[in-house]
Amino acid sequence: MTDQTTFDIDLQRKIDMKTKPLGALGRMETLAAQIARVQGSLMPKMETCQLTIFAADHGIADAGVSAFPQEVTRQMVLNFLGKGAAANVFARSVEVDLRVVDAGVKGPSFDEPTLLNRRIAPGTLNFLNTPAMTQAQADEALQRGRELGRDGDWDAVAFGEMGIANTSSATMLAHKTIGVELDVLTGRGTGLDDAGLSAKRAVLQKAAERTGDLNASDALVEYGGFEIAMMVGAMQGAAAAKRIVLVDGFIATSAALMASMMEPDARQAMVFAHKSQEQGHASILNALDAAPLLDLDLRLGEGTGALLAWPLLKAAAAMLSDMASFEDAGISGPA
Amino acid sequence: MTDQTTFDIDLQRKIDMKTKPLGALGRMETLAAQIARVQGSLMPKMETCQLTIFAADHGIADAGVSAFPQEVTRQMVLNFLGKGAAANVFARSVEVDLRVVDAGVKGPSFDEPTLLNRRIAPGTLNFLNTPAMTQAQADEALQRGRELGRDGDWDAVAFGEMGIANTSSATMLAHKTIGVELDVLTGRGTGLDDAGLSAKRAVLQKAAERTGDLNASDALVEYGGFEIAMMVGAMQGAAAAKRIVLVDGFIATSAALMASMMEPDARQAMVFAHKSQEQGHASILNALDAAPLLDLDLRLGEGTGALLAWPLLKAAAAMLSDMASFEDAGISGPA
């Protein structure tokens, strides 16, 4: 038997000997097993988590694909720093550390000491007519992301995003790499009405005609965003560091898809937090063979869904590490 | 306009002015609104929670309806006191207080100072041939439960249970009060195989023939358990004290159904934590018009699902009380 087989047998035996009917903790058991495998330990530790929010702007916003004006990206960065956004409130509530990265917000650099400056450029180009970024910019974003993903000694890391029009970018990344139709993938984002949704679909259809099917790396150059590319790198860096990667909603899952296509080993570190209300999310989750933990009709991004899933990871690891066995507790098994 | 209408309008306005697209926090918004209504405050507080686990034995266990022997109820009470059960581990992980109540475990009283002794009798009678308890016992269990539900000053209270064969009792309570077929309601409990499930169905079918349709109060006498009746009282007491009642899985939801039928006002205080893997749970949730927060294939009881849902309540209230509005944060609305 290989070491991994032996480990898996020991792991399943340990879970089955806990004082509960066989399988009675359902998905908490499979979650605990995944954490144990990533950490290579039957006594996994899951005490600390950090959320990194990547913010950037998108040239495609000029095509009128979002219900909100582009300046909101910048305003929301300041809201994160002022601790007033949903992500801040949830992070405090579940005791997760939060940091914010400027990956390429439109306008000048921020003069904010608590913001991490990793700017690639003040927003991508409009991918309707031209690639969103250069290969060099994509490589730089991936590299800066990898460094951020390896930072610190957190047991789990979560990644969120802020970027007006970034559902358009995420939609294109999935469309070009897994081939799902734009009509299926394209959703209302921050709240487009029917007319807005039709217009967004038409814009993305036109943008899609510029290129054929793409691999993940080329898709990032053609249609990506700086916050998405940086998140791809961060997921890869964190997974390589044997750290659980807690994946948020639609945008983060498109980044997870790119990260897994470029580095298949990264997939096993990923825990999918929630099923977003954004229409295309189910298709991307499906391509990743991912079953998210929560389904709360969220569609905010910022890592909010990942934050709400964090207590489940903590509890799952505690179950494996701390719960008594039938033998420990002197309890009778099934009759 | 009534005061309640004014309150609801102010509440919805406050949620809609938070720095997020309209409705983007999905079920967290409706959860926050429910908490606000129960507390009668637009600044709800949701910081502390206590789980009470009620344990008792069931005469119907003699009919061979459970995969586990009856002594496991008593053994698991000791496991709770020794802090080794799943409920203990999860409670520590999510920072919820935990207490254990002996509502009527078979055998002598425990000599355990940390256990609350509220024993009605050492187990119910076998409801196959006779009512499970007397009216006086049911009244006493409800009354002791009401007192426990009002105890302390927790922002939310959760109730769990331990009692070998109590899925049989919960199944009968639902069958007799809402009329759903036994074949639909009867599940595998702690893990019956197909033959065990058939035998359990036959036992419950026979037990059902003793009586016609029943109201909740009579159903508790005929087919209830002491832990279930006490939980019914506790839910009513907590709801009357304007406290959020966090309802766990199949057994707890059957108690919530009885509590709501006897005191309809109690329903509004209830938050349903999760959809259990136990087959009949969906029917009982449906009768309560309840949409549970989590769906993790749990089927353990003990309040484990309620514990995992607690962080969502805390975060929802914090969203309403602490998150910035568009005006606070100087953020532009939709274009």
Side-chain angles (χ1 to χ4, degrees):
Chain A
M1 286 195 295
T2 65
D3 283 356
Q4 189 55 45
T5 312
T6 310
F7 182 85
D8 280 349
I9 290 170
D10 290 348
L11 174 58
Q12 193 58 50
R13 185 181 296 133
K14 184 168 182 189
I15 292 172
D16 291 346
M17 289 295 109
K18 297 290 184 184
T19 49
K20 57 170 187 55
L22 211 60
L25 282 173
R27 299 202 49 203
M28 294 298 285
E29 300 187 16
T30 44
L31 181 57
Q34 183 184 1
I35 294 167
R37 280 190 205 100
V38 169
Q39 296 190 356
S41 168
L42 296 180
M43 291 287 283
K45 179 176 164 294
M46 194 49 64
E47 298 288 336
T48 62
C49 181
Q50 183 183 56
L51 169 67
T52 304
I53 301 178
F54 297 97
D57 273 305
H58 294 258
I60 192 68
D62 293 344
V65 290
S66 175
F68 280 79
Q70 193 171 30
E71 71 242 31
V72 169
T73 305
R74 190 172 197 90
Q75 292 166 344
M76 281 300 298
V77 167
L78 298 173
N79 197 21
F80 295 136
L81 299 179
K83 303 188 192 304
N88 302 98
V89 173
F90 287 180
R92 271 199 300 278
S93 184
V94 299
E95 296 174 42
V96 166
D97 191 73
L98 192 164
R99 63 179 178 175
V100 187
V101 174
D102 177 5
V105 175
K106 195 172 174 183
S109 292
F110 291 82
D111 183 21
E112 294 285 345
T114 58
L115 178 69
L116 276 74
N117 181 346
R118 297 290 185 280
R119 294 167 69 80
I120 304 294
T124 51
L125 300 179
N126 184 343
F127 64 60
L128 187 55
N129 308 309
T130 183
M133 65 186 82
T134 65
Q135 183 69 55
Q137 287 177 323
D139 291 345
E140 186 67 26
L142 288 166
Q143 182 52 35
R144 291 181 185 182
R146 273 192 208 96
E147 283 162 18
L148 290 165
R150 282 193 298 261
D151 258 12
D153 63 348
W154 311 97
D155 299 323
V157 286
F159 303 109
E161 43 57 48
M162 178 68 218
I164 292 298
N166 66 6
T167 60
S168 288
S169 180
T171 299
M172 294 303 293
L173 294 175
H175 173 61
K176 286 292 174 179
T177 55
I178 59 175
V180 177
E181 290 303 310
L182 279 175
D183 281 358
V184 174
L185 285 170
T186 312
R188 295 176 190 276
T190 50
L192 289 173
D193 59 14
D194 289 347
L197 180 59
S198 293
K200 179 177 174 183
R201 282 189 176 138
V203 166
L204 298 188
Q205 196 63 57
K206 182 148 182 291
E209 288 163 11
R210 282 203 301 108
T211 64
D213 292 348
L214 298 171
N215 65 29
S217 179
D218 291 342
L220 281 173
V221 171
E222 291 289 348
Y223 301 106
F226 297 132
E227 85 283 38
I228 297 178
M230 216 170 277
M231 200 187 304
V232 171
M235 288 174 173
Q236 293 171 339
K242 301 285 179 200
R243 200 168 278 176
I244 286 284
V245 174
L246 190 45
V247 179
D248 192 41
F250 182 67
I251 318 291
T253 307
S254 80
L257 179 67
M258 299 303 111
S260 305
M261 285 176 159
M262 294 164 75
E263 292 183 7
D265 283 354
R267 171 67 183 82
Q268 64 196 15
M270 295 174 182
V271 172
F272 293 84
H274 78 114
K275 181 174 176 304
S276 167
Q277 213 184 27
E278 175 71 7
Q279 169 171 329
H281 197 204
S283 300
I284 307 183
L285 287 166
N286 193 47
L288 282 157
D289 192 22
L293 292 168
L294 302 173
D295 185 359
L296 296 169
D297 291 338
L298 309 178
R299 50 179 171 84
L300 180 55
E302 303 181 2
T304 46
L307 290 167
L308 296 178
W310 160 244
L312 299 178
L313 273 69
K314 215 175 139 188
M319 184 272 284
L320 190 55
S321 295
D322 302 339
M323 189 176 159
S325 69
F326 283 103
E327 194 180 11
D328 296 337
I331 289 176
S332 312
Chain B
M1 286 194 296
T2 64
D3 284 355
Q4 188 56 44
T5 312
T6 310
F7 181 85
D8 281 347
I9 290 170
D10 290 347
L11 174 58
Q12 193 59 50
R13 185 181 295 133
K14 184 168 182 189
I15 293 171
D16 291 346
M17 289 295 107
K18 297 291 185 184
T19 48
K20 57 170 187 55
L22 212 61
L25 283 172
R27 299 203 49 201
M28 294 299 285
E29 300 187 17
T30 45
L31 181 57
Q34 182 184 1
I35 294 167
R37 281 191 205 99
V38 169
Q39 297 190 357
S41 169
L42 297 180
M43 291 286 284
K45 179 175 164 295
M46 195 49 63
E47 297 288 336
T48 63
C49 180
Q50 183 183 57
L51 169 67
T52 304
I53 301 179
F54 297 98
D57 272 305
H58 294 257
I60 193 67
D62 293 344
V65 290
S66 175
F68 279 79
Q70 193 171 30
E71 71 242 31
V72 168
T73 306
R74 191 174 196 89
Q75 292 167 345
M76 281 300 297
V77 167
L78 297 174
N79 197 21
F80 295 136
L81 299 179
K83 304 190 193 303
N88 301 99
V89 173
F90 287 179
R92 272 200 301 278
S93 184
V94 298
E95 296 174 41
V96 166
D97 191 74
L98 193 164
R99 63 179 179 175
V100 187
V101 174
D102 177 6
V105 175
K106 196 172 174 185
S109 292
F110 290 82
D111 183 21
E112 294 284 346
T114 58
L115 179 68
L116 275 75
N117 181 347
R118 297 292 185 279
R119 293 167 69 81
I120 305 295
T124 51
L125 300 179
N126 184 344
F127 65 61
L128 187 56
N129 308 308
T130 184
M133 66 185 80
T134 65
Q135 183 69 54
Q137 288 178 323
D139 291 344
E140 186 66 27
L142 288 166
Q143 182 52 35
R144 291 181 186 182
R146 271 191 209 97
E147 284 162 17
L148 290 166
R150 282 193 299 262
D151 259 12
D153 63 348
W154 311 97
D155 299 322
V157 286
F159 303 110
E161 42 56 49
M162 179 68 218
I164 293 299
N166 66 5
T167 60
S168 288
S169 181
T171 298
M172 294 302 293
L173 294 175
H175 173 62
K176 286 292 173 179
T177 55
I178 59 175
V180 177
E181 290 303 310
L182 279 175
D183 280 0
V184 174
L185 285 170
T186 311
R188 295 176 190 276
T190 49
L192 290 172
D193 58 16
D194 289 348
L197 180 59
S198 293
K200 178 177 175 183
R201 282 189 175 138
V203 166
L204 298 189
Q205 196 62 58
K206 184 150 180 290
E209 288 163 11
R210 281 202 302 108
T211 64
D213 291 349
L214 298 170
N215 64 29
S217 179
D218 291 343
L220 280 174
V221 171
E222 292 289 347
Y223 301 105
F226 297 132
E227 85 282 39
I228 297 178
M230 216 169 278
M231 201 187 304
V232 171
M235 287 174 174
Q236 292 172 338
K242 300 284 179 201
R243 199 168 280 175
I244 287 283
V245 174
L246 190 46
V247 179
D248 192 41
F250 182 66
I251 318 291
T253 306
S254 80
L257 179 67
M258 299 303 111
S260 305
M261 285 176 158
M262 294 163 76
E263 292 183 7
D265 283 354
R267 171 67 183 82
Q268 65 197 14
M270 295 174 182
V271 172
F272 294 84
H274 77 113
K275 181 173 178 302
S276 166
Q277 212 185 28
E278 175 70 8
Q279 168 171 330
H281 197 204
S283 299
I284 307 184
L285 288 167
N286 193 47
L288 282 157
D289 193 22
L293 292 168
L294 302 173
D295 186 359
L296 296 168
D297 291 338
L298 309 178
R299 51 180 170 82
L300 180 56
E302 303 180 2
T304 46
L307 290 167
L308 296 178
W310 160 244
L312 298 178
L313 274 69
K314 216 175 139 189
M319 184 272 283
L320 190 54
S321 296
D322 302 339
M323 191 176 156
S325 69
F326 282 103
E327 194 179 11
D328 295 337
I331 290 177
S332 312

